[in-house]
Amino acid sequence: MTHESMTPATAPVRLGMPVPAATPTSSRIPVPAASGARRLPSTGNLADQRGRPLRDLRISVTDRCNFRCVYCMPKEVFGRDYAFLDRDELLSFEEITRIARVAAAHGVEKLRLTGGEPLLRRGLEELIARLAELRTPDGRPLEIALTTNGSALAMKAASLKAAGLTRVTVSLDSLDDELFQAMNDVRFPVGRVLDGIQAAHDAGLGPVKVNMVVKRGLNDHEILPMAQHFKGTASTLRFIEYMDVGTSNGWELGEVVPSREIVERIGEWMPLEPVGATAPGETAARWRYADGEGEIGVISSVTQAFCGTCNRARISTEGRLFTCLFASEGHDLRALLRGGIDDAGLADAMGAIWGARDDRYSEVRATLTPELRAARPKVEMSYIGG
């Protein structure tokens, strides 16, 4: 794929490293001993080099989005001349389902569909229906979630639920309509996103999680209004520290509002108390309102890294497997799929990739100089999903 209209300094990085096809030895899901992968005594599933199991697979179904959010797909990079992937470069629904089926056999219990904006992928309900038929080795259905900007949710919520979607997360960075439109940079009104959140609740996709990326000097004054709006509702608001994902958003450490500060700001007006995690590898630290009117979450991948419990892998739109949100390289599963590999061979390849995993970028970020951080290529969030 080329980006002829971009200079090398602004072109988003799309790197990948192919994985050699493994030779299948049986019809069961094997764990290749040579890969360094090992079985966890309590689960019988894979662990990486730091003992982290594979539980969560995030699948980007499109690299396209109808927003141009300043922290993700800024218009000066993703403009009219930007060359998105051709349709035949995308993983087909059959290919996505094969990868998800093998991942489930390796221990994945949750699938999250992302983008770009996943609701732009034509026929997405068909994919969800296919994924809803998958089961864990002990017969449980997988949780199927979706992250969306909410622009089409009011129209699609009911059909998504009917297809088998479990729940939805909506990105919403401000309730102030002027600011929200400036941030999405396509003049999309906030009211239509709020309508989508309500439609998701009405369709049975709740409790809806609402994600707010907080950037100092841009929307941090909206922290308290957002908390007040969603307090006591069926939605759970989560605040995300502004991250250095990709190379196109011009990230600077001074623009990060630490989660500690967010909790303090809210707590001054509405007292909070900490709540324990509900599941291993949970990214958000939970805080409940002392009066019992719901809770918030804070995701602190910059100031309080949670690499030690990260159990997530990501599949890019054209089928590269990434083992970290901040990765520089992905592993080309599409080439294996279209080269005729069977499920056992695909399982070998995926097991080898996870078994060799040693990622912990958020833990080492603070040790890197700004120059080293800038020089380190990272895949764009719009390409890999959040």
Side-chain angles (χ1 to χ4, degrees):
M1 178 176 179
T2 61
H3 304 282
E4 297 175 356
S5 63
M6 297 182 185
T7 65
T10 59
V13 176
R14 291 189 176 179
L15 300 179
M17 182 175 67
V19 178
T23 302
T25 56
S26 72
S27 59
R28 64 185 178 83
I29 301 297
V31 179
S35 71
R38 56 196 184 281
R39 292 186 179 276
L40 296 176
S42 61
T43 65
N45 292 315
L46 293 177
D48 67 9
Q49 294 296 302
R50 296 181 176 272
R52 298 168 293 189
L54 175 60
R55 290 289 180 269
D56 186 320
L57 185 65
R58 304 189 173 193
I59 304 169
S60 176
V61 297
T62 179
D63 61 336
R64 298 171 186 268
C65 186
N66 54 337
F67 284 9
R68 286 297 176 266
C69 296
V70 294
Y71 60 82
C72 182
M73 294 183 71
K75 191 175 290 184
E76 59 268 24
V77 176
F78 297 87
R80 292 184 177 180
D81 295 330
Y82 184 79
F84 289 99
L85 295 170
D86 292 333
R87 186 172 181 80
D88 61 358
E89 295 181 272
L90 308 182
L91 287 180
S92 68
F93 290 168
E94 292 82 0
E95 290 168 333
I96 291 173
T97 304
R98 282 193 66 194
I99 291 173
R101 181 169 62 245
V102 168
H106 273 318
V108 163
E109 299 174 343
K110 175 182 174 182
L111 305 174
R112 176 172 293 279
L113 304 181
T114 66
E117 169 48 46
L119 296 186
L120 295 184
R121 181 72 185 262
R122 184 176 301 173
L124 185 65
E125 291 87 348
E126 178 188 342
L127 172 62
I128 292 170
R130 290 171 181 259
L131 298 176
E133 295 178 354
L134 301 179
R135 295 292 182 269
T136 63
D138 61 359
R140 290 176 291 116
L142 303 182
E143 179 181 352
I144 305 172
L146 178 142
T147 297
T148 173
N149 61 25
S151 59
L153 193 54
M155 296 180 293
K156 304 277 284 184
S159 62
L160 294 170
K161 176 64 176 180
L165 190 68
T166 308
R167 61 182 182 81
V168 67
T169 297
V170 179
S171 299
L172 179 62
D173 299 320
S174 175
L175 290 170
D176 180 274
D177 195 48
E178 183 177 356
L179 176 58
F180 180 72
Q181 292 192 33
M183 290 187 70
N184 66 53
D185 209 12
V186 293
R187 311 309 297 174
F188 194 91
V190 70
R192 289 174 61 183
V193 177
L194 295 174
D195 289 344
I197 292 172
Q198 184 60 53
H201 283 302
D202 294 344
L205 291 170
V208 174
K209 293 182 178 179
V210 178
N211 284 351
M212 176 185 181
V213 174
V214 182
K215 183 176 180 181
R216 192 179 297 280
L218 179 63
N219 68 334
D220 58 311
H221 63 284
E222 282 285 278
I223 291 171
L224 190 58
M226 287 281 285
Q228 290 170 329
H229 179 86
F230 288 104
K231 181 176 183 287
T233 72
S235 296
T236 299
L237 178 61
R238 305 193 304 177
F239 299 91
I240 303 176
E241 292 179 345
Y242 178 47
M243 294 181 290
D244 54 331
V245 179
T247 57
S248 64
N249 66 3
W251 182 88
E252 294 181 6
L253 183 59
E255 295 170 328
V256 176
V257 180
S259 291
R260 179 188 67 257
E261 179 181 333
I262 293 171
V263 171
E264 289 173 353
R265 287 199 202 183
I266 296 172
E268 288 178 2
W269 294 91
M270 298 172 286
L272 295 165
E273 51 192 32
V275 182
T278 57
E282 195 168 68
T283 59
R286 299 166 57 213
W287 294 79
R288 67 185 168 210
Y289 293 106
D291 62 5
E293 291 291 309
E295 66 177 60
I296 63 167
V298 289
I299 299 176
S300 316
S301 65
V302 176
T303 63
Q304 299 176 49
F306 40 81
C307 300
T309 58
C310 179
N311 56 16
R312 293 171 295 285
R314 292 169 171 83
I315 303 293
S316 71
T317 311
E318 90 274 45
R320 293 190 183 275
L321 172 59
F322 289 83
T323 56
C324 179
L325 178 60
F326 303 97
S328 298
E329 296 178 327
H331 305 262
D332 192 354
L333 300 185
R334 187 187 66 183
L336 300 183
L337 292 167
R338 297 184 183 181
I341 198 170
D342 64 8
D343 281 359
L346 182 61
D348 281 333
M350 291 176 67
I353 294 166
W354 187 263
R357 176 187 190 238
D358 195 33
D359 301 293
R360 58 186 191 98
Y361 173 78
S362 289
E363 289 182 351
V364 303
R365 178 195 285 109
T367 68
L368 302 175
T369 66
E371 292 75 20
L372 286 175
R373 283 198 301 264
R376 185 183 187 275
K378 296 188 293 292
V379 68
E380 296 297 319
M381 183 181 288
S382 58
Y383 167 73
I384 198 176

